[in-house]
Structure formats: C-alpha cells, structure tokens
C-alpha cells in the first residue's frame, strides 16, 4: 500500500464513494483524469485535512515556516541582498527533509500545504531576482548568481532497469514524465533499459513523440538458436545477430559524443566486464565519446548464458571502426550495476534519482515507501530477515568461491551472482512495474503492438502517483534553469531586449 488509509472512521456512504473512486482511479486513461479523481479521493478520505496540519515526524515544519516568512518579507520589501543570502543558505531540494517519501505517501496528490507554499515562494523569489524589478544587480551579477545556484542545486537523473521485453514499461514512464515536462536531461540504462536510453539519446527532441508510439520497438530482436547450433557452442541461447541488426537499424552509426550533440541528453549505458573481478562501467560522452552507442547497448543486453560476451566498437576521427579495449569482452550491465547512481553523481552533479524498475528477479522483492521507511517495532522482524537473507546469500557465494574458485566458469557465475545480490536497486523516487505469471510470460515474447500498449499504460499509471513529488522536487531547479536562459538571452549582444515572465 502506497497511500495512508484515512478511511477508518467514516460512514458506509463515504466508504462506498471511496471504493467507487478507487475503481475509477485504476481505469484512468490520462494524468488529468487520474488527478481529478485522486483529488476527490483525498477530499473524501480526509487527506486534505492532513495537508493543512503542519505537524509531522518526517520534516521540520518550524524551519520551513521561519524561512517562508523571511523569504516573503524580503521579496515584498525588495531587500534583494538579504533575499539572495537566505536563498543561497537553503538551496537544497530536501532542506528540512521536505522531500521525505512518506510526506508524499499520505495523499494521492500533493503534500503538506506549508511545503508547497515554501517551494512556491522560493521559485517566486528566484524569479524576482532575475526580473527587471530587481534593479540593484547588474546583468553579469545576476548571471553569476544563478550559475552558482544551478551548481549548488544540482539536477535529477532517470535510471532504467533491465527486464527484457518488460522494458516496454519504461516507455510509459517517459511518456508520463514528458507530458508534465519532468523528463531529466541525465539518464542511464542497462539491458532493456539501455535500449530505451539509447533510443532517446540518439534522437532529436522533436522525434521523441514518434519513438514513444512504439514503432521502433516492433522487431524480431530475440531469436533463439537452433539445437544444432547450440551443440556446436560458441554462443548463447539466443542469436546475437538479430539483436545487433535491430540496434544498428534503430540507433545508427552514432557515437556517444555525436548522440549528445544531437539530443542534448546525457545518456549512460551500464556494462560489466565478462571477467567478474573487474568493476562495472558506464559508457557516455565523457568516459567513452568515440564508442558507438549500438555497440554499448548490445553489450549491456548480453545477459550471460542468453547472449555471448560482446566486444565494443568505436569510431575513429576518419570514420573507421576499431575495437575498443580489444582484449576485453563485456556483458549485461545490470549484473553488477543496474543503477549506476554513484558514478553519475560524480559526473553530472546529481541531487536525486528516479528509478524505473521492472527487473523480474527484483520487482517481487521491492518494498513501497511506507514499508521501507516504517520504523515501528512490528517492522523489525521483516527488516532483520531481509538484511540477514542478503548477508547469508553473499556468505554462501563467498564460501563456494573460496573452494571452487579455480574453476573459471563457476567463479565467473559466482562473481555475477554476488554482483546481483550486492546492488542497491532503489532510487530516491521509485517507479516499479507489476509482477505476475502473465508478466513473466511477456519476457519470452518479441515486442508487439498489443504488448507495447499494455506495458506502456502500466508505466504511465505507475508514474502518475509520483508526479506530485517530482513537481515539488523539480520546481526550484526548473526555475533556476528558466532564469538562466532568460538572463543569457538578454546578455547576448546581438539580441534585442524582450519582456519575459518567469514562473
């Protein structure tokens, strides 16, 4: 259960209306429809009253109220220097813990009103400093201030998990985020998630709408080898040539550096060396600018046993293909780095991450925010059991590795297994796919229109409850970005002044 139950002390008529609204919510076809029904549910259940109550163990309301009052006073009195100081003092998306997940798990839409008012006031104050109303600062001073703000505040990243054909779920996540202008500029993917990341990363923004219709995904990319070929050896259960053909057709002859210039997106593809003793890596325009995107995605999709290890291909300045680290073969990045959060944080100044998770061996064990952050005594047995299960699994693999580690295939399998168990599969915001026997059967199918439609809609519906949280977290960052764009426009010597409204 994601949302808190406010319905314990209601009469039968209210219970009936709430049940009816929940059924309507599950069948909503758009975010606008979902939000309209969700607001009615919050009204019926009493969650609206919860929003007006500042008391909460999850954030410091006193700090927020104090800062809100100061920001409002300084802005209305046009005390610009004081306003700049207090803004910079608290320029964090989670100041006083206002982004705690449980603050957005109590109601379907929104959170405490004081938090929404605070974020709104911060945005208005930043807009005031960038506007013509603020006359005590030069254009260069404003530019410098907002450049510092952008570095201090950081930016979000979107991470797509593996999951074979279930990765079509990611298209629904992208569609929902793009419709609300919440799509991050930094994204990563492994295995099936790498395909989603690369599809967007090699395309111009004007092409995203067409990609999310699904036509590019309809292909016989997964083709199992015949028994005679399997007996001969030299490969995995699936024929890698079909997947390679699909990727080359859709991603083209594009390097990571060329992809960034075209799309403006910082895409990262997670891959792991076949030798389990080496660390996983991410391919991007900084770490591997000359590597062909399709080559990295092919390696990221090379699930051990299903596909053989892959050699990466790069493109020289003269356009000639050459091997990248020719002595190394690479496999599925989700084996050891499904979500490369730390690596991206160092490269892109990430402040929080959004995880789209559909890996079939992970989703059944994922917990919702209430279960993860619940600290009462009744939750202790489950928390202890989960942690001990992980410790025991790693201990068994370490014990086995010490005794049969000299057998290369066994050691490699244990290294990969250790990597799967030892990973962190959560982001700061988590969008998790459904799991059932029906969903496991989808994994054995090539993407088809009916399957694409089902999984994309599941992705959208899983994203809609997270929109309020993401809007709150991204509001200030987007305001800083818009202010910078405005100031840079005015700073350009060949442009005529023009009036802009910053929201």
């Amino acid at each position: 259960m994601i949302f808190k139950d406010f319905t314990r002390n209601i009469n039968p008529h209210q219970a009936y209306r709430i049940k009816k609204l929940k059924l309507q919510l599950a069948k909503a076809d758009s975010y606008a429809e979902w939000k309209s029904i969700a607001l009615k549910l919050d009204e019926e259940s009493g969650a609206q009253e919860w929003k007006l109550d500042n008391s909460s163990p999850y954030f410091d309301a006193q700090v927020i109220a104090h800062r809100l009052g100061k920001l409002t006073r300084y802005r209305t009195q046009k005390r610009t220097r004081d306003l700049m100081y207090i803004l910079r003092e608290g320029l964090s998306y989670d100041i006083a813990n206002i982004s705690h997940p449980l603050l957005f798990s109590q109601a379907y839409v929104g959170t405490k009103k004081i938090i929404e008012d605070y974020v709104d006031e911060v945005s208005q104050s930043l807009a005031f400093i960038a506007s013509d109303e603020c006359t005590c600062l030069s254009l260069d001073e404003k530019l410098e201030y907002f450049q510092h703000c952008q570095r201090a505040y950081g930016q979000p990243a979107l991470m797509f998990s593996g999951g074979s054909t279930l990765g079509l779920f990611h298209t629904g996540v992208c569609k929902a985020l793009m419709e609300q202008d919440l799509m991050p500029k930094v994204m990563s993917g492994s295995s099936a998630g790498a395909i989603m990341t690369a599809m967007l990363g090699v395309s111009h923004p004007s092409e995203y709408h067409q990609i999310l219709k699904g036509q590019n995904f309809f292909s016989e990319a997964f083709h199992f080898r015949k028994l005679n070929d399997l007996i001969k050896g030299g490969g995995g259960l699936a024929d890698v040539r079909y997947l390679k053909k699909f990727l080359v057709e859709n991603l083209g002859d594009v390097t990571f550096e060329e992809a960034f210039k075209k799309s403006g997106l910082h895409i990262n593809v997670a891959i792991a060396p076949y030798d389990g003793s080496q660390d996983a890596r991410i391919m991007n325009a900084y770490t591997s600018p000359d590597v062909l995107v399709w080559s990295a995605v092919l390696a990221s999709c090379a699930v051990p046993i299903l596909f053989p290890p892959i050699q990466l291909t790069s493109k020289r300045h003269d356009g000639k293909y050459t091997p990248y680290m020719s002595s190394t073969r690479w496999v599925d990045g989700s084996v050891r780095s499904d979500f490369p959060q730390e690596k991206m944080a160092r490269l892109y100044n990430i402040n929080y991450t959004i995880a789209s998770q559909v890996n079939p061996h992970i989703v059944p064990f994922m917990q919702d925010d209430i279960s993860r952050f619940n600290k009462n005594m009744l939750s202790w047995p489950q928390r202890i059991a989960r942690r001990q299960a992980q410790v025991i699994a790693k201990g068994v693999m370490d014990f086995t590795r010490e005794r049969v580690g000299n057998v290369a295939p066994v050691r490699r399998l244990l290294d990969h297994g250790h990597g799967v168990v030892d990973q962190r599969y959560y982001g700061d915001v988590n969008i998790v796919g459904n799991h059932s026997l029906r969903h496991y059967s989808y994994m054995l199918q090539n993407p088809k229109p009916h399957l694409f439609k089902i999984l994309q809609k599941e992705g959208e519906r899983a994203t809609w409850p997270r929109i309020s949280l993401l809007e709150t977290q991204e509001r200030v960052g987007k305001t800083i970005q818009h202010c910078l764009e405005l100031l840079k426009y005015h700073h350009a010597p060949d442009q005529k002044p023009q009036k802009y409204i910053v929201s």
Side-chain angles (χ1 to χ4, degrees), residues 349-467:
N349 189 26
I350 302 302
N351 53 10
Y352 70 92
T353 55
I354 307 165
S356 178
Q357 178 61 264
V358 290
N359 250 323
H361 61 288
I362 300 300
V363 168
F365 304 100
M366 294 283 284
Q367 294 179 295
D368 61 41
D369 290 335
I370 292 178
S371 299
R372 285 177 65 210
F373 292 98
N374 187 6
K375 304 297 184 184
N376 64 40
M377 292 186 64
L378 292 177
S379 69
W380 288 7
Q382 184 184 21
R383 296 168 74 87
I384 293 171
R386 292 175 71 91
R387 289 178 183 176
Q388 288 305 309
Q390 185 182 37
V391 171
I392 291 170
K394 288 192 291 184
V396 170
M397 284 186 280
D398 288 337
F399 179 84
T400 308
R401 188 161 46 181
E402 289 173 2
R403 280 148 183 78
V404 294
N406 56 340
V407 181
V410 175
R411 181 177 181 85
R412 192 173 292 118
L413 183 63
L414 289 170
D415 286 340
H416 292 328
H418 199 282
V420 170
V421 173
D422 202 35
Q423 289 186 57
R424 182 172 183 264
Y425 290 99
Y426 291 94
D428 297 300
V429 180
N430 298 286
I431 303 170
V432 183
N434 298 331
H435 67 280
S436 64
L437 290 177
R438 180 165 51 89
H439 284 81
Y440 286 108
S441 72
Y442 292 160
M443 294 177 60
L444 304 176
Q445 304 178 37
N446 277 292
K448 299 297 181 184
H450 76 282
L451 190 55
F452 176 85
K453 186 176 180 181
I454 291 170
L455 291 173
Q456 184 179 73
K457 184 55 70 175
E458 286 186 6
E460 287 185 80
R461 287 180 173 143
T463 307
W464 292 338
R466 301 299 186 185
I467 295 295

Side-chain angles (χ1 to χ4, degrees), residues 63-80 82-84 86-87 113-126 128-129 133:
V63 169
I64 296 303
H66 178 71
R67 290 185 57 79
L68 176 58
K70 276 192 170 183
L71 287 168
T72 305
R73 184 166 68 254
Y74 292 162
R75 179 175 58 83
T76 54
Q77 295 175 356
K78 298 188 177 180
R79 294 167 56 180
T80 304
D82 290 333
L83 185 62
M84 292 169 65
I86 194 172
L87 280 170
K113 188 175 186 301
I114 191 173
I115 294 176
E116 295 175 348
D117 290 344
Y118 175 77
V119 172
D120 183 63
E121 181 56 49
V122 171
S123 297
Q124 287 190 55
S125 297
L126 288 166
F128 165 75
I129 294 172
E133 281 187 80

